[in-house]
């Protein structure tokens, strides 16, 4: 069974940093592109970042470029999102997502999400 | 940047069809994916590549994509279909995934 479990969320002050982790199981981790998608409470979905299976291709939404860094460790079946210079606009539930393939392939599995709250 | 436009809400009586649109410039040239999200849960893929259904998704869910509009149709709507629905495309010109703003489906 495919499982994606996020961790590392919490309360952080504006300007601070946080690192999210995504632990994966139930599939060949090193073969899949992974993404981060966030959702402000009560609002819609926003794609944040994508990292290819071998970390060859990395993409970010413009609003986090230069502040967020996505990485993965295929030996540990884990993906990370280092978030710096956080602001209130970054407050959201962050989902770890598996993509069936490279873009434009769909997202077939989602984690339950981890909540990041940035206080001003 | 590429923009996807969805109606904020759609209301439908049980047993009727609900149609959720997703508008975008020449969206017919892109692959559109649709997700269902119920309160307190993560999104679930219901349609991929415009009109394909993942295993386990009822045949009542179908999709189409022509011109500037993609459509998710839920036939014979049931109370359990109440949820938010999001369309998604890959914008190759910016290397960005784009989601529509979401549509809340209410079963009357």
């Amino acid at each position: 069974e495919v499982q994606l479990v996020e961790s590392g969320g919490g309360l952080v002050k504006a300007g601070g940093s946080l690192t999210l982790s995504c632990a994966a199981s139930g599939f060949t981790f090193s073969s899949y592109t992974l993404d981060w998608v966030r959702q402000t409470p009560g609002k819609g979905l926003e794609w944040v970042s994508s990292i290819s299976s071998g970390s060859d291709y990395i993409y970010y939404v413009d609003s986090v470029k230069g502040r967020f860094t996505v990485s993965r460790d295929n030996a540990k079946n884990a993906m990370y999102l280092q978030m710096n210079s956080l602001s209130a606009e970054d407050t959201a539930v962050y989902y770890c997502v598996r993509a069936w393939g490279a873009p434009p392939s769909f997202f077939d599995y989602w984690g339950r999400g981890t909540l990041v709250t940035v206080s001003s | 940047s590429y923009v996807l436009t969805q109606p904020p809400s759609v209301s439908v009586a049980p047993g009727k069809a609900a149609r959720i649109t997703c508008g975008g410039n020449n969206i017919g040239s892109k692959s559109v994916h649709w997700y269902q999200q119920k309160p307190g849960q993560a999104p679930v893929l219901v349609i991929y590549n415009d009109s394909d259904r993942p295993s386990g998704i009822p045949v009542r869910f179908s999709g189409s994509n022509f011109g500037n509009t993609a459509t998710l149709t839920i036939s014979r709507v049931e109370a359990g279909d109440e949820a938010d629905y999001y369309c998604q495309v890959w914008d190759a010109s910016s290397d960005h995934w784009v989601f529509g703003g979401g549509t809340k489906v209410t079963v009357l």
Side-chain angles (χ1 to χ4, degrees):
Chain A
E1 178 192 5
V2 171
Q3 286 199 320
L4 299 166
V5 180
E6 305 90 341
S7 62
L11 179 63
V12 61
K13 290 187 177 180
S17 299
L18 209 58
T19 298
L20 305 184
S21 299
C22 172
S25 61
F27 64 100
T28 304
F29 183 81
S30 59
S31 296
Y32 288 86
T33 293
L34 297 172
D35 291 70
W36 288 98
V37 174
R38 67 184 179 183
Q39 185 171 35
T40 303
K43 297 289 180 61
L45 301 173
E46 180 183 38
W47 169 77
V48 174
S49 181
S50 180
I51 182 167
S52 62
S53 58
S55 304
D56 309 84
Y57 299 98
I58 291 176
Y59 306 113
Y60 299 98
V61 69
D62 292 348
S63 59
V64 309
K65 244 177 231 181
R67 300 188 300 121
F68 289 13
T69 302
V70 65
S71 62
R72 64 190 293 165
D73 186 336
N74 287 345
K76 295 183 177 179
N77 287 3
M79 177 176 66
Y80 309 98
L81 186 67
Q82 170 72 40
M83 304 185 295
N84 298 326
S85 303
L86 287 163
S87 69
E89 287 69 38
D90 297 314
T91 293
V93 173
Y94 285 73
Y95 293 102
C96 170
V97 182
R98 189 185 88 165
W100 175 246
S105 190
F106 48 89
F107 297 165
D108 58 354
Y109 286 96
W110 297 62
R112 291 192 168 190
T114 186
L115 176 62
V116 172
T117 303
V118 183
S119 64
S120 52
Chain B
S1 60
Y2 195 79
V3 176
L4 294 175
T5 302
Q6 296 183 237
S9 63
V10 166
S11 298
V12 58
K16 300 297 185 183
R19 292 178 179 82
I20 305 160
T21 58
C22 176
N25 184 36
N26 197 27
I27 194 174
S29 67
K30 301 180 184 298
S31 291
V32 179
H33 315 308
W34 290 91
Y35 301 87
Q36 174 195 70
Q37 186 180 33
K38 296 183 178 180
Q41 298 182 19
V44 171
L45 180 72
V46 293
I47 291 289
Y48 65 96
N49 295 347
D50 299 340
S51 59
D52 292 330
R53 268 179 301 104
S55 60
I57 300 301
V59 296
R60 300 183 296 103
F61 288 81
S62 63
S64 63
N65 184 19
F66 303 102
N68 293 318
T69 305
T71 303
L72 172 68
T73 301
I74 311 172
S75 305
R76 302 180 298 283
V77 164
E78 302 173 357
D81 298 329
E82 270 206 349
D84 294 325
Y85 292 84
Y86 296 90
C87 57
Q88 177 200 31
V89 300
W90 173 253
D91 178 21
S93 66
S94 62
D95 288 335
H96 281 33
W97 279 108
V98 180
F99 284 98
T103 298
K104 182 176 182 60
V105 171
T106 300
V107 181
L108 300 171

